[in-house]
Amino acid sequence: MSSDLTPSAVREIADGYAFTGPALDLGAVLLDGTAYPDAQVRIPLGVLNRHGLVAGATGTGKTKTLQLIAEQLSGQGVPVFLADVKGDVSGVAAPGTPSERTGARAAEVGQQWAPRGCPAEFYSLGGQGAGIPVRATVTSFGPLLLSKVLDLNETQESSLSLVFHYADGKGLELYDLKDLTAVIAFLASPEGKEELRTIGGLSAATAGVILRALTVLENEGAGAFFGEPEFDTAELLRSTQDGRGMVSVLELPAVQDRPRLFSTFLMWLLADLYQELPEVGDLDKPKLVFFFDEAHLLFKGASKAFLEAITQTVRLIRSKGVGIFFVTQTPRDVPSDVLAQLGNRVQHALRAFTPDDAKALKATVSTFPRSSYDLGAVLTSLGTGEAVVTVLSEKGAPTPVAATRLRAPQSLMGPIEAGALRAMVEASPLTARYRDPIDRESAYEKLAARAPRPEAAPAGAEPSKPSESSESPVPRERAKERAKEQAGAGGLLGSLLSNPTVKSFARSAGRQLGQEISRSLFGTSKRRR
């Protein structure tokens, strides 16, 4: 490994990581292929709300790094959230398996390794796959996040916001997809257009685009993600009786083919936490650390408004005691405004096989503080489980750049058996609370009830036929039946995605109709307990 460092300089680097307060141990300083176990590289616990980045090429050890950090956070009493995109993080709940390789790595970096698992809960989006179902209502999800999922342009996004505004003001609860579809269909009708005239309009073409996008999403099975019971993000902040932080693992392998959906859903979790948590400033340790795996999926194709909302959330949520680690391949995957707010960096190896790779390498090197390392050479020669690290000190200043041989996780480095995972899910007290979906009266039923009923026919007269030009989306008498028929046939009402506009309605009894829901940066509704 090429560098201008000498062994004496290793001690200078180590001095930059000699913190007095509690810290997480990452590994030992690495020089020319040799690890120096007396020169430890660490992260102060109190700066983890300043966010971080774990980056590197595929196969360089990013997942093991986030597992290493997560299990130490749990041991220090900090709850952790992990998005398990590939299905290989579930092992955090089980003790690791001793081996010669693990023992050798521990000796090289000065680690006292012992197998130990973490307390864990396993979740899944809408119950697809193993885990406790996580759902959000259309109302709480909001128009901005839903526009990202549906890949709408800015004009269509504005129209969807108008739909939410109307539903808020009229007390039309948007719990699931059929609610949102019913409202859009109504607003595209003559009666709905008349009601919208004072606040704007919804063109038939735009309504059709949104409804088709909802249909596609529903056909992909995404309808299960929206509805009730809505997941309470406070569940992510729990600790065990012995003081360890709970590790919440969202199992996502079943939805890998819908990356836009799960990445945006994770952003909903953060937006909800941001609204619910009080301002606390800098704490001795964070309330929660959130690992955002495959982070490039969140930013790909995002609108300007969406990126601005992410930037604001990342900037402001640290004062709520929440830290965010983005996990991706290169820092270029993260917008510069967001990257500037990530104070802790663990950069695994990069490849430079193509001109684009070389450009990415050069850009990555430019994001690090000045150091004596030839970072271009170092980053292309790191082995698996090695990384270049720089974090914030206890005083908030960047630490020296340190090539590091990382410690081995003490939990299982791989997935646990499917049977063991199912048993843990069944044993969780949260399963009974969230497992079964609820379908109660909401916008769909309310709009169906507004359909005009035929007047009673005079005695002896022929019964009148129902009008085919009803302005209501669905006749009252067949509202439930029609929904089932069209869902089975892939029809419009049965193929919708939900945009949680009803979180407030779900938890606020006795609110007057016409009172608009307060919304956050992402247009998500504020939970009222």
Side-chain angles (χ1 to χ4, degrees):
M1 182 179 298
S2 175
S3 73
D4 296 328
L5 295 177
T6 63
S8 62
V10 170
R11 173 48 52 194
E12 294 180 12
I13 293 175
D15 289 343
Y17 292 87
F19 310 122
T20 58
L24 309 183
D25 297 310
L26 292 182
V29 174
L30 184 66
L31 175 63
D32 294 329
T34 300
Y36 291 77
D38 293 334
Q40 291 292 306
V41 177
R42 312 165 76 215
I43 304 179
L45 193 60
V47 304
L48 285 168
N49 68 325
R50 303 298 182 93
H51 312 317
L53 176 73
V54 178
T58 300
T60 56
K62 297 189 301 294
T63 301
K64 301 301 179 288
T65 295
L66 69 88
Q67 189 172 340
L68 171 69
I69 296 174
E71 64 186 22
Q72 290 189 67
L73 284 168
S74 175
Q76 298 264 21
V78 178
V80 176
F81 176 89
L82 299 175
D84 188 7
V85 177
K86 298 183 289 292
D88 54 1
V89 183
S90 60
V92 72
T97 303
S99 67
E100 290 186 9
R101 185 175 179 180
T102 300
R105 171 60 66 101
E108 290 170 356
V109 300
Q111 178 184 13
Q112 299 296 318
W113 191 92
R116 188 182 188 189
C118 301
E121 293 277 16
F122 293 93
Y123 300 97
S124 62
L125 288 185
Q128 294 199 9
I132 301 161
V134 175
R135 302 179 185 90
T137 61
V138 169
T139 275
S140 67
F141 209 68
L144 188 56
L145 287 176
L146 187 57
S147 296
K148 164 69 172 174
V149 173
L150 298 177
D151 198 20
L152 302 182
N153 62 32
E154 291 188 4
T155 300
Q156 295 155 359
E157 181 181 303
S158 297
S159 296
L160 187 60
S161 296
L162 182 64
V163 173
F164 274 73
H165 175 78
Y166 175 84
D168 286 351
K170 296 297 183 180
L172 297 172
E173 299 91 339
L174 305 178
Y175 293 132
D176 53 26
L177 293 184
K178 73 177 185 297
D179 291 325
L180 181 59
T181 297
V183 173
I184 295 174
F186 170 73
L187 293 178
S189 71
E191 181 184 351
K193 287 181 179 179
E194 185 64 29
E195 290 200 24
L196 269 182
R197 188 164 295 173
T198 59
I199 59 173
L202 178 66
S203 71
T206 298
V209 169
I210 297 173
L211 289 172
R212 285 193 296 273
L214 290 172
T215 299
V216 171
L217 199 59
E218 175 72 10
N219 288 340
E220 291 178 347
F225 306 150
F226 298 95
E228 295 187 297
E230 184 169 73
F231 182 70
D232 186 349
T233 51
E235 309 284 10
L236 304 178
L237 303 174
R238 294 180 298 137
S239 298
T240 60
Q241 291 184 347
D242 62 359
R244 290 187 293 167
M246 185 67 69
V247 178
S248 299
V249 182
L250 182 62
E251 292 290 312
L252 294 169
V255 294
Q256 283 192 61
D257 57 341
R258 295 186 289 281
R260 188 187 302 273
L261 177 63
F262 73 69
S263 65
T264 312
F265 207 99
L266 296 186
M267 208 64 223
W268 169 78
L269 291 176
L270 278 179
D272 191 81
L273 284 165
Y274 171 76
Q275 290 198 91
E276 296 305 311
L277 292 174
E279 293 280 342
V280 293
D282 291 325
L283 303 172
D284 292 336
K285 62 182 180 181
K287 289 186 175 182
L288 173 72
V289 176
F290 193 102
F291 288 88
F292 214 127
D293 200 6
E294 301 293 335
H296 64 283
L297 299 173
L298 177 67
F299 304 109
K300 184 178 180 180
S303 68
K304 181 180 179 181
F306 187 79
L307 291 175
E308 288 175 351
I310 291 176
T311 303
Q312 282 288 84
T313 300
V314 172
R315 179 181 297 123
L316 298 176
I317 202 170
R318 76 173 186 86
S319 65
K320 306 293 185 90
V322 177
I324 307 169
F325 272 73
F326 294 97
V327 184
T328 189
Q329 293 197 7
T330 76
R332 292 203 308 173
D333 294 333
V334 181
S336 57
D337 287 345
V338 176
L339 190 64
Q341 300 176 56
L342 309 183
N344 304 297
R345 300 277 302 277
V346 181
Q347 177 66 59
H348 287 264
L350 291 175
R351 310 303 180 209
F353 299 141
T354 69
D356 285 343
D357 291 341
K359 188 180 299 183
L361 175 63
K362 184 177 180 180
T364 299
V365 170
S366 69
T367 63
F368 276 88
R370 187 173 301 174
S371 74
S372 299
Y373 283 105
D374 179 355
L375 285 179
V378 172
L379 288 174
T380 54
S381 61
L382 291 170
T384 301
E386 297 174 350
V388 171
V389 176
T390 180
V391 303
L392 294 179
S393 70
E394 293 167 310
K395 296 180 179 180
T399 59
V401 175
T404 306
R405 179 162 292 162
L406 300 168
R407 294 186 172 211
Q410 293 177 285
S411 53
L412 183 64
M413 289 187 283
I416 61 175
E417 295 182 357
L421 195 154
R422 285 194 299 269
M424 293 180 67
V425 172
E426 287 298 321
S428 171
L430 302 183
T431 297
R433 187 180 308 170
Y434 294 108
R435 177 177 50 202
D436 299 324
I438 299 171
D439 186 12
R440 55 178 172 152
E441 185 183 47
S442 50
Y444 176 83
E445 289 78 15
K446 288 183 178 182
L447 288 172
R450 292 171 61 170
R453 294 185 179 186
E455 296 182 1
E462 289 290 328
S464 61
K465 295 182 179 180
S467 171
E468 295 181 0
S469 60
S470 171
E471 294 177 352
S472 172
V474 184
R476 177 185 178 89
E477 293 78 6
R478 297 196 61 212
K480 298 279 188 179
E481 181 180 351
R482 181 74 59 85
K484 292 179 181 178
E485 290 175 359
Q486 293 194 346
L492 193 60
L493 292 177
S495 56
L496 309 158
L497 175 57
S498 108
N499 183 3
T501 306
V502 114
K503 209 167 185 182
S504 297
F505 286 103
R507 291 180 173 83
S508 62
R511 292 187 75 188
Q512 293 182 348
L513 297 182
Q515 180 180 0
E516 188 163 345
I517 296 173
S518 60
R519 296 189 179 277
S520 73
L521 293 169
F522 277 101
T524 55
S525 69
K526 183 174 178 60
R527 188 194 304 271
R528 298 182 186 274
R529 292 189 174 92

